Amino acid sequence: MTTPIYFDCDTGVDDAMALGLLLASAEVDLVGIGGVHGNVSAAQGVENTLRLLSLAGCEEIPVAVGENDPLCGDFGGGVPHIHGSNGLGGIALPAAAATPVEEDAADMLVRLSHEYAGDLKIVAVGPLTNLGTALQRDPSVAERIASVTLMGGAALAPGNITAVAEANIANDAEAAQAVVSAPWSVTIVPLDATMTNLFEESDRQQLLAAESEFVHCLGQILDRYFDFYVGEFGRRCSALHDPLAVAIAIGAVAPGKAPRVPVIIDTSDGPGRGQTICDLRGRRPDQVDRDGANVRVVLDTQDQLAPVLIDQLLSFGRKLVAQGGVGS
Amino acid sequence: MTTPIYFDCDTGVDDAMALGLLLASAEVDLVGIGGVHGNVSAAQGVENTLRLLSLAGCEEIPVAVGENDPLCGDFGGGVPHIHGSNGLGGIALPAAAATPVEEDAADMLVRLSHEYAGDLKIVAVGPLTNLGTALQRDPSVAERIASVTLMGGAALAPGNITAVAEANIANDAEAAQAVVSAPWSVTIVPLDATMTNLFEESDRQQLLAAESEFVHCLGQILDRYFDFYVGEFGRRCSALHDPLAVAIAIGAVAPGKAPRVPVIIDTSDGPGRGQTICDLRGRRPDQVDRDGANVRVVLDTQDQLAPVLIDQLLSFGRKLVAQGGVGS
């Protein structure tokens, strides 16, 4: 029994790790991937996704190009100082064995919502433009989705693109507001949780030591990303933003404090623009669900993701080597 | 050697506790008090202040009525469900022995800034309308103030009037923005610190047991306030909002993590209106000062305020009893 998942991503470094975790999970049926602007352009992200899939011998998974601009405004140019010029830390992967499908990401999502009506889970780890576009084209898509899990926002933690705004949400605040207010079940994995689930240099070395080229490459592309985080954590390591959203969605890591509370995205032009406003007022220290709230905010996790992630990726790598495919 | 202090307040329950701490401190020369809208109307707050001063035998301290409306908009009517209909938990204190001075609070502040140029400290525990008005009338007032310490904002903690906004700041966002951007040294004591410095029922009983009528009354007025906090903390107790700002200002409690960082008040009409946006991004877990930032944000304290506060108030009460004045 596998779970059909549509994965929406802006494939930079942590998206690649998240993709690896999805591919490694035996319970996941990755039925489609959409690319969106964010860490890199939508086209670059899709190219990265296709190369990673080919390296993992999974080139049959359909990948659709999605929106390259937010619902309002234009693509900001990405963050090459974090993810490298190509989004994969400057590491050049072998050419992909496949090309994007014809339909765009929003159409793919709407189609899959019919094919897997009631069962399809969405995991979104980039700006939410593709989801917002799908909701605009067919608002009923929300009724056919089992759940949406997204990496985004900063509930009580500082933001990363402004003092209060996290990049995925802020890079398309209008789409994010559409997603949190649509009638589906949403789980937000914000910086509060992702900045406390870290991947250390010793963890990276385990990936580098893998026989599988796919897993080895994941270790390589983390190199530059680790440099960026010295300014944040004082040492070479990284947050596990996107992989944590995948892990929460597939149950590889359990949420700790994760109340359902009212959530609104600041779409004003004020200094709070892009903030994910989570109403966490109320009795402390226990955060409790609020009546009628459809958005769950994961404030922390019961266990750390890194050991689970390493175990999954190394197992997947051994499988690839045993199969003797390209990813070995 | 005493420190001249101008105290700006909207005298509700915790303002009364803060006033008690100021009166109890031998190092403080309370040279003027201004009343402002907030917990109650400016007039009601001044009446409460005058009655408390009389009860403490300190009716010689000048009290000025200040602004009853924020710089933009109108007084919202206060919070009788928290502070009681009269702002003092419904407890009727004896009539005051003095009346307000003729000048208004902003004029008093400007005058005092000349009389104590370079030495005057401001402690503000209500909306910042009087300070904002003083800055409008004479921007140079900022140059003559030694420091401003204010209770307000929510840096990483949830807000209390909205999900992200704290009442003192949100009740006059424009004045707060004027205060944090003026060229003086500002220390903000936000909910992060005040919601983790609590006063318990056993603490209140110590005040109630005091021989001094003034101190006994402080215990009485906390009764209703404690009921309100059951919804927040799950038991009868209270946060020490305003007393903590006084304690930080006079050195009775030392700040713990308290970085100087860029601070801006959200004066937009978006959902973040009234938020105190403190830029706490950067290397963790140590928060470090940012170049050029003139606002220090107290995220926690080295010690708990409650024992210090009780000790100061009980000592003051014994002094009043020994003097045989009205407050005994």
Side-chain angles (χ1 to χ4, degrees), chain B residues 132-148:
Chain B
T133 301
L135 286 166
Q136 284 181 343
R137 291 183 189 168
D138 180 1
S140 75
V141 69
E143 303 163 12
R144 294 185 297 275
I145 297 297
S147 67
V148 179

Side-chain angles (χ1 to χ4, degrees), chain B residues 75-122:
Chain B
F75 171 53
V79 281
H81 64 293
I82 303 174
H83 291 271
S85 55
N86 67 349
L88 296 178
I91 304 298
L93 299 186
T99 55
V101 298
E102 286 291 316
E103 66 188 346
D104 74 8
D107 278 354
M108 173 191 266
L109 173 53
V110 172
R111 178 178 56 77
L112 291 172
S113 76
H114 285 286
E115 285 183 36
Y116 301 93
D119 295 323
L120 187 68
K121 291 186 174 181
I122 296 174

Side-chain angles (χ1 to χ4, degrees), chain A residues 148-166:
Chain A
V148 180
T149 305
L150 63 91
M151 189 279 133
L156 298 176
N160 60 6
I161 198 168
T162 75
V164 292
E166 180 278 334

Side-chain angles (χ1 to χ4, degrees), chain A residues 156-164 195 230-234 264 266 268 270-272 275 277-284, chain B residues 156-164 195 230-234 264-266 268 270-272 275 277-284:
Chain A
L156 298 176
N160 60 6
I161 198 168
T162 75
V164 292
M195 291 294 280
V230 172
E232 191 66 44
F233 295 109
I264 189 170
D266 188 336
S268 77
Q275 182 175 13
I277 296 178
C278 306
D279 194 346
L280 292 163
R281 291 176 291 173
R283 191 173 295 186
R284 306 160 196 216
Chain B
L156 300 175
N160 60 6
I161 197 167
T162 75
V164 292
M195 290 294 279
V230 172
E232 191 66 44
F233 295 109
I264 189 170
I265 310 301
D266 188 336
S268 77
Q275 182 176 13
I277 297 179
C278 306
D279 194 347
L280 292 163
R281 291 176 292 174
R283 189 172 297 185
R284 305 161 196 216

Side-chain angles (χ1 to χ4, degrees), chain A residues 45-64:
Chain A
V46 164
E47 178 62 27
N48 293 343
T49 303
L50 289 167
R51 290 186 181 210
L52 287 160
L53 287 174
S54 293
L55 200 54
C58 300
E59 61 272 15
E60 77 286 358
I61 296 173
V63 180

Side-chain angles (χ1 to χ4, degrees), chain A residues 97-164:
Chain A
T99 55
V101 296
E102 286 292 315
E103 65 187 347
D104 74 8
D107 278 355
M108 173 190 266
L109 173 53
V110 172
R111 178 177 57 75
L112 291 171
S113 76
H114 286 284
E115 286 184 36
Y116 301 94
D119 294 325
L120 187 67
K121 291 186 175 181
I122 297 174
V123 181
V125 300
L128 297 165
T129 317
N130 292 341
L131 276 63
T133 301
L135 286 167
Q136 284 180 343
R137 291 182 189 169
D138 180 0
S140 75
V141 68
E143 303 162 13
R144 296 185 296 275
I145 297 298
S147 67
V148 180
T149 305
L150 63 91
M151 189 279 133
L156 298 176
N160 60 6
I161 198 168
T162 75
V164 292

